[in-house]
Amino acid sequence: MKIAVITGASSGIGQEFVRALDKAEQFDEVWLIARRLERLEALASGIRAKARCISLDLTKEESIAAYAQLLEEHKPQIAVLVNASGFGKFKAFEEEPLAVYNEMIDLNAKAVMAMTYVSLPYMERGGRIYEMGSLSAFQPVPYINVYAATKAFVLSFTRALNAELKGRGIRAMAICPGWVSDSTITYFNRYYEAKDVVRRALRDMDKGKDVSIVGFPIRAQVFFTKLLPHRLVMKVWLRQQKKG
């Protein structure tokens, strides 16, 4: 049984991945994973493939275990894995409860690693893994520092994993989009929609890339971020956000 597995499928980039993959390929089943079952069921009604809606909280170890049990029971071939679950907060570090940061790390980093680890035994040559990073992965970002740190983990983990999996013919790619429209962010240099991010990601995977960044302005920003001292990059960011 050939399947695609998409976490964070109830909204945003995860939801757009479901629609794009459903149009581009044939799967025996698409496994939709998120906390909100009703949203998954609504999404499932609008796609071609048979959908298995799985309500899981991926910050919980028992949810990862439940996913592993489903794989053991059905023994599918995972053709595509998309880890799109995640969240961030734009606040001063000490203004958010510690529990929120722990959950952020669990979902943005630990769950990505765990879902990938559990899925890999069911992937064959030609399998593809999309891991959700961020533009924030390339620099320290004050006021979203924990979020940025989790995305830096995803970027490093994914690129290294892609190199490890070369011999098995399985590809892993980090998706690192720029800012989206958000009332808490006072400045963003370019706005892209989820469909733009996904379209670029699918194309970059076909090209053999290990990182996907939509939009020339965002790619240029990443280039200069690598060249400039991060102290200066953070200073510019703080001024843009009217925090400096």
Side-chain angles (χ1 to χ4, degrees):
M1 177 172 65
K2 176 185 173 183
I3 71 169
V5 179
I6 302 98
T7 75
S10 62
S11 63
I13 291 173
Q15 186 178 87
E16 191 59 39
F17 252 111
V18 174
R19 293 176 176 140
L21 289 170
D22 185 57
K23 290 179 182 177
E25 298 185 49
Q26 294 284 342
F27 300 98
D28 296 309
E29 282 190 0
V30 176
W31 289 17
L32 310 179
I33 300 176
R35 295 178 183 177
R36 294 168 290 190
L37 183 60
E38 69 283 357
R39 289 200 176 189
L40 296 179
E41 291 173 341
L43 176 62
S45 67
I47 64 175
R48 297 181 305 164
K50 179 182 177 182
R52 183 182 297 267
C53 299
I54 307 168
S55 177
L56 294 175
D57 179 352
L58 296 179
T59 65
K60 310 296 184 184
E61 289 187 8
E62 53 266 33
S63 288
I64 303 297
Y67 171 67
Q69 182 59 41
L70 280 172
L71 292 176
E72 174 62 24
E73 179 183 347
H74 296 282
K75 294 181 170 53
Q77 175 204 343
I78 302 176
V80 182
L81 170 65
V82 180
N83 278 310
S85 294
F87 75 99
K89 296 282 186 178
F90 185 78
K91 283 187 177 181
F93 175 67
E94 71 274 14
E95 291 179 358
E96 200 67 40
L98 177 60
V100 172
Y101 292 126
N102 285 333
E103 183 178 12
M104 193 181 299
I105 293 168
D106 287 344
L107 186 60
N108 294 8
K110 289 176 65 177
V112 167
M113 179 276 296
M115 288 292 292
T116 303
Y117 185 91
V118 171
S119 299
L120 271 171
Y122 299 89
M123 301 190 77
E124 301 176 358
R125 181 168 295 274
R128 289 150 288 155
I129 303 170
Y130 297 86
E131 311 281 39
M132 186 51 57
S134 168
L135 174 62
S136 304
F138 298 95
Q139 64 187 72
V141 190
Y143 293 94
I144 53 171
N145 57 71
V146 176
Y147 172 82
T150 64
K151 296 306 183 179
F153 170 88
V154 171
L155 177 62
S156 180
F157 166 71
T158 306
R159 297 189 73 186
L161 181 65
N162 183 61
E164 284 189 37
L165 295 175
K166 184 177 181 181
R168 288 183 57 187
I170 298 172
R171 301 277 331 290
M173 186 179 71
I175 305 169
C176 296
W179 303 111
V180 296
S181 181
D182 187 324
S183 60
T184 63
I185 302 294
T186 60
Y187 170 89
F188 49 90
N189 57 356
R190 189 67 180 265
Y191 166 61
Y192 293 95
E193 297 181 2
K195 63 182 180 181
D196 301 318
V197 176
V198 172
R199 186 184 305 116
R200 177 78 193 200
L202 294 175
R203 191 166 73 223
D204 284 344
M205 179 65 82
D206 288 342
K207 291 181 178 179
K209 295 186 178 182
D210 63 0
V211 180
S212 177
I213 305 170
V214 66
F216 176 78
I218 306 302
R219 291 194 294 277
Q221 183 174 335
V222 169
F223 174 78
F224 286 111
T225 295
K226 292 177 180 178
L227 295 179
L228 297 172
H230 280 173
R231 182 176 296 180
L232 175 60
V233 173
M234 288 190 287
K235 185 176 181 179
V236 172
W237 158 255
L238 288 168
R239 187 180 302 120
Q240 290 169 341
Q241 299 303 322
K242 298 180 171 51
K243 297 289 188 181

